[in-house]
Amino acid sequence: ERITRLSSPFPGISESAHIAAGGVLHLSGAVGLDANGSHPADFAEETDLVFRALAAALERGGAGFGDVAKVTVFIVGLDPERLAIYRRVRDRWIDAARPPASSVVGIAALYSPAARIEIEAVAAV
């Protein structure tokens, strides 16, 4: 089978797909959910939870943040303050000296009114 599905720890959240051909791991949009499956009120905490979810999905796929080639970030209500918070949190997870290619897109809404950030990633494995 060319595609192996990596199960999400939360029901109803998209799975990640590991594309075996070419050694590429495509991670569908990760969101910031706490242990109860809720989005925290604090944007920095929510963003950190997104990176925790990405780290877990990367690990399940045999990769780490150093293997990430591209991220696409969707932020509800993108403004300079939210962008600065995102960057501060991102820099704790991703090597700022060797960051992946990235796009940050401001959007009106995500799947839930409580969700404010979602990140997709592509990694080499």
Side-chain angles (χ1 to χ4, degrees), residues 61-85:
F65 280 110
D67 302 306
V68 173
K70 170 78 167 95
V71 294
T72 305
V73 183
F74 304 95
I75 298 176
V76 174
L78 180 62
D79 62 16
E81 181 181 352
R82 281 203 176 156
L83 182 60
I85 292 168

mmCIF file of all heavy atoms in Angstrom, residues 61-85:
data_model
loop_
_atom_site.group_PDB
_atom_site.id
_atom_site.type_symbol
_atom_site.label_atom_id
_atom_site.label_comp_id
_atom_site.label_asym_id
_atom_site.label_seq_id
_atom_site.Cartn_x
_atom_site.Cartn_y
_atom_site.Cartn_z
ATOM 1 N N GLY A 61 5.252 9.084 12.322
ATOM 2 C CA GLY A 61 5.632 8.890 10.930
ATOM 3 C C GLY A 61 7.119 8.692 10.717
ATOM 4 O O GLY A 61 7.588 8.625 9.581
ATOM 5 N N GLY A 62 7.896 8.626 11.802
ATOM 6 C CA GLY A 62 9.332 8.397 11.687
ATOM 7 C C GLY A 62 10.135 9.638 11.356
ATOM 8 O O GLY A 62 11.198 9.549 10.738
ATOM 9 N N ALA A 63 9.654 10.806 11.776
ATOM 10 C CA ALA A 63 10.338 12.071 11.463
ATOM 11 C C ALA A 63 10.352 12.969 12.697
ATOM 12 O O ALA A 63 9.789 12.634 13.737
ATOM 13 C CB ALA A 63 9.642 12.772 10.296
ATOM 14 N N GLY A 64 10.992 14.112 12.540
ATOM 15 C CA GLY A 64 11.022 15.138 13.576
ATOM 16 C C GLY A 64 10.980 16.498 12.910
ATOM 17 O O GLY A 64 10.959 16.596 11.680
ATOM 18 N N PHE A 65 11.001 17.553 13.697
ATOM 19 C CA PHE A 65 10.924 18.899 13.115
ATOM 20 C C PHE A 65 12.087 19.209 12.188
ATOM 21 O O PHE A 65 11.954 19.985 11.254
ATOM 22 C CB PHE A 65 10.793 19.962 14.207
ATOM 23 C CG PHE A 65 9.390 20.091 14.722
ATOM 24 C CD1 PHE A 65 9.069 19.673 15.999
ATOM 25 C CD2 PHE A 65 8.384 20.610 13.923
ATOM 26 C CE1 PHE A 65 7.771 19.771 16.480
ATOM 27 C CE2 PHE A 65 7.081 20.720 14.382
ATOM 28 C CZ PHE A 65 6.775 20.296 15.661
ATOM 29 N N GLY A 66 13.240 18.599 12.416
ATOM 30 C CA GLY A 66 14.379 18.805 11.518
ATOM 31 C C GLY A 66 14.158 18.238 10.127
ATOM 32 O O GLY A 66 14.869 18.598 9.193
ATOM 33 N N ASP A 67 13.161 17.375 9.979
ATOM 34 C CA ASP A 67 12.843 16.764 8.688
ATOM 35 C C ASP A 67 11.755 17.521 7.932
ATOM 36 O O ASP A 67 11.439 17.195 6.796
ATOM 37 C CB ASP A 67 12.369 15.317 8.890
ATOM 38 C CG ASP A 67 13.409 14.483 9.605
ATOM 39 O OD1 ASP A 67 14.560 14.454 9.122
ATOM 40 O OD2 ASP A 67 13.080 13.884 10.642
ATOM 41 N N VAL A 68 11.157 18.520 8.569
ATOM 42 C CA VAL A 68 10.049 19.253 7.952
ATOM 43 C C VAL A 68 10.577 20.174 6.854
ATOM 44 O O VAL A 68 11.475 20.986 7.081
ATOM 45 C CB VAL A 68 9.256 20.050 9.007
ATOM 46 C CG1 VAL A 68 8.208 20.935 8.349
ATOM 47 C CG2 VAL A 68 8.608 19.097 9.998
ATOM 48 N N ALA A 69 10.004 20.032 5.664
ATOM 49 C CA ALA A 69 10.405 20.843 4.513
ATOM 50 C C ALA A 69 9.484 22.040 4.306
ATOM 51 O O ALA A 69 9.915 23.075 3.809
ATOM 52 C CB ALA A 69 10.402 19.985 3.245
ATOM 53 N N LYS A 70 8.207 21.917 4.719
ATOM 54 C CA LYS A 70 7.231 22.978 4.440
ATOM 55 C C LYS A 70 6.127 22.944 5.484
ATOM 56 O O LYS A 70 5.659 21.876 5.865
ATOM 57 C CB LYS A 70 6.628 22.751 3.045
ATOM 58 C CG LYS A 70 5.422 23.617 2.678
ATOM 59 C CD LYS A 70 5.848 25.021 2.295
ATOM 60 C CE LYS A 70 4.726 25.808 1.640
ATOM 61 N NZ LYS A 70 3.967 26.636 2.537
ATOM 62 N N VAL A 71 5.732 24.108 5.954
ATOM 63 C CA VAL A 71 4.554 24.240 6.800
ATOM 64 C C VAL A 71 3.630 25.295 6.202
ATOM 65 O O VAL A 71 4.091 26.274 5.614
ATOM 66 C CB VAL A 71 4.872 24.605 8.275
ATOM 67 C CG1 VAL A 71 5.624 23.494 8.976
ATOM 68 C CG2 VAL A 71 5.613 25.914 8.379
ATOM 69 N N THR A 72 2.349 25.055 6.351
ATOM 70 C CA THR A 72 1.341 26.043 5.992
ATOM 71 C C THR A 72 0.530 26.307 7.242
ATOM 72 O O THR A 72 -0.005 25.378 7.847
ATOM 73 C CB THR A 72 0.433 25.546 4.857
ATOM 74 O OG1 THR A 72 1.244 25.159 3.738
ATOM 75 C CG2 THR A 72 -0.534 26.631 4.416
ATOM 76 N N VAL A 73 0.477 27.579 7.633
ATOM 77 C CA VAL A 73 -0.140 27.980 8.891
ATOM 78 C C VAL A 73 -1.373 28.817 8.580
ATOM 79 O O VAL A 73 -1.291 29.778 7.814
ATOM 80 C CB VAL A 73 0.849 28.806 9.746
ATOM 81 C CG1 VAL A 73 0.239 29.175 11.088
ATOM 82 C CG2 VAL A 73 2.164 28.073 9.908
ATOM 83 N N PHE A 74 -2.499 28.451 9.191
ATOM 84 C CA PHE A 74 -3.745 29.193 9.044
ATOM 85 C C PHE A 74 -4.088 29.794 10.396
ATOM 86 O O PHE A 74 -4.218 29.057 11.381
ATOM 87 C CB PHE A 74 -4.878 28.257 8.588
ATOM 88 C CG PHE A 74 -4.560 27.526 7.313
ATOM 89 C CD1 PHE A 74 -4.027 26.244 7.357
ATOM 90 C CD2 PHE A 74 -4.786 28.118 6.084
ATOM 91 C CE1 PHE A 74 -3.730 25.561 6.189
ATOM 92 C CE2 PHE A 74 -4.483 27.433 4.905
ATOM 93 C CZ PHE A 74 -3.959 26.164 4.949
ATOM 94 N N ILE A 75 -4.218 31.133 10.447
ATOM 95 C CA ILE A 75 -4.518 31.813 11.708
ATOM 96 C C ILE A 75 -5.774 32.653 11.525
ATOM 97 O O ILE A 75 -5.834 33.519 10.642
ATOM 98 C CB ILE A 75 -3.340 32.703 12.165
ATOM 99 C CG1 ILE A 75 -2.089 31.848 12.417
ATOM 100 C CG2 ILE A 75 -3.729 33.488 13.420
ATOM 101 C CD1 ILE A 75 -0.847 32.644 12.788
ATOM 102 N N VAL A 76 -6.761 32.395 12.380
ATOM 103 C CA VAL A 76 -7.993 33.176 12.375
ATOM 104 C C VAL A 76 -7.684 34.555 12.951
ATOM 105 O O VAL A 76 -7.034 34.671 13.989
ATOM 106 C CB VAL A 76 -9.092 32.481 13.209
ATOM 107 C CG1 VAL A 76 -10.336 33.368 13.316
ATOM 108 C CG2 VAL A 76 -9.439 31.126 12.602
ATOM 109 N N GLY A 77 -8.137 35.601 12.258
ATOM 110 C CA GLY A 77 -7.932 36.958 12.757
ATOM 111 C C GLY A 77 -6.470 37.348 12.822
ATOM 112 O O GLY A 77 -6.040 37.990 13.774
ATOM 113 N N LEU A 78 -5.709 36.959 11.812
ATOM 114 C CA LEU A 78 -4.275 37.257 11.798
ATOM 115 C C LEU A 78 -4.044 38.759 11.914
ATOM 116 O O LEU A 78 -4.601 39.553 11.165
ATOM 117 C CB LEU A 78 -3.648 36.723 10.507
ATOM 118 C CG LEU A 78 -2.154 36.950 10.339
ATOM 119 C CD1 LEU A 78 -1.368 36.256 11.440
ATOM 120 C CD2 LEU A 78 -1.692 36.459 8.977
ATOM 121 N N ASP A 79 -3.241 39.128 12.884
ATOM 122 C CA ASP A 79 -2.828 40.506 13.083
ATOM 123 C C ASP A 79 -1.395 40.474 13.601
ATOM 124 O O ASP A 79 -0.859 39.392 13.875
ATOM 125 C CB ASP A 79 -3.780 41.248 14.037
ATOM 126 C CG ASP A 79 -3.847 40.662 15.437
ATOM 127 O OD1 ASP A 79 -2.963 39.858 15.828
ATOM 128 O OD2 ASP A 79 -4.783 40.999 16.177
ATOM 129 N N PRO A 80 -0.728 41.620 13.715
ATOM 130 C CA PRO A 80 0.665 41.612 14.161
ATOM 131 C C PRO A 80 0.880 40.931 15.515
ATOM 132 O O PRO A 80 1.888 40.249 15.722
ATOM 133 C CB PRO A 80 1.037 43.098 14.217
ATOM 134 C CG PRO A 80 0.148 43.727 13.189
ATOM 135 C CD PRO A 80 -1.150 42.964 13.289
ATOM 136 N N GLU A 81 -0.057 41.076 16.439
ATOM 137 C CA GLU A 81 0.096 40.462 17.764
ATOM 138 C C GLU A 81 0.042 38.935 17.671
ATOM 139 O O GLU A 81 0.895 38.244 18.233
ATOM 140 C CB GLU A 81 -0.991 40.960 18.716
ATOM 141 C CG GLU A 81 -0.868 40.376 20.101
ATOM 142 C CD GLU A 81 -1.972 40.846 21.047
ATOM 143 O OE1 GLU A 81 -2.759 41.747 20.676
ATOM 144 O OE2 GLU A 81 -2.039 40.293 22.150
ATOM 145 N N ARG A 82 -0.941 38.406 16.963
ATOM 146 C CA ARG A 82 -1.025 36.946 16.818
ATOM 147 C C ARG A 82 0.159 36.395 16.040
ATOM 148 O O ARG A 82 0.657 35.320 16.354
ATOM 149 C CB ARG A 82 -2.335 36.531 16.156
ATOM 150 C CG ARG A 82 -3.484 36.549 17.130
ATOM 151 C CD ARG A 82 -4.618 35.674 16.729
ATOM 152 N NE ARG A 82 -5.609 35.716 17.812
ATOM 153 C CZ ARG A 82 -6.877 35.462 17.662
ATOM 154 N NH1 ARG A 82 -7.352 35.117 16.484
ATOM 155 N NH2 ARG A 82 -7.689 35.524 18.685
ATOM 156 N N LEU A 83 0.609 37.115 15.030
ATOM 157 C CA LEU A 83 1.769 36.665 14.267
ATOM 158 C C LEU A 83 3.000 36.601 15.168
ATOM 159 O O LEU A 83 3.770 35.633 15.124
ATOM 160 C CB LEU A 83 2.019 37.578 13.067
ATOM 161 C CG LEU A 83 3.182 37.186 12.167
ATOM 162 C CD1 LEU A 83 2.985 35.789 11.581
ATOM 163 C CD2 LEU A 83 3.352 38.215 11.056
ATOM 164 N N ALA A 84 3.195 37.602 16.014
ATOM 165 C CA ALA A 84 4.338 37.624 16.932
ATOM 166 C C ALA A 84 4.255 36.461 17.927
ATOM 167 O O ALA A 84 5.269 35.814 18.219
ATOM 168 C CB ALA A 84 4.397 38.951 17.676
ATOM 169 N N ILE A 85 3.061 36.177 18.442
ATOM 170 C CA ILE A 85 2.886 35.050 19.368
ATOM 171 C C ILE A 85 3.208 33.753 18.657
ATOM 172 O O ILE A 85 3.937 32.905 19.186
ATOM 173 C CB ILE A 85 1.459 35.028 19.945
ATOM 174 C CG1 ILE A 85 1.245 36.229 20.871
ATOM 175 C CG2 ILE A 85 1.183 33.706 20.671
ATOM 176 C CD1 ILE A 85 -0.198 36.464 21.261
#
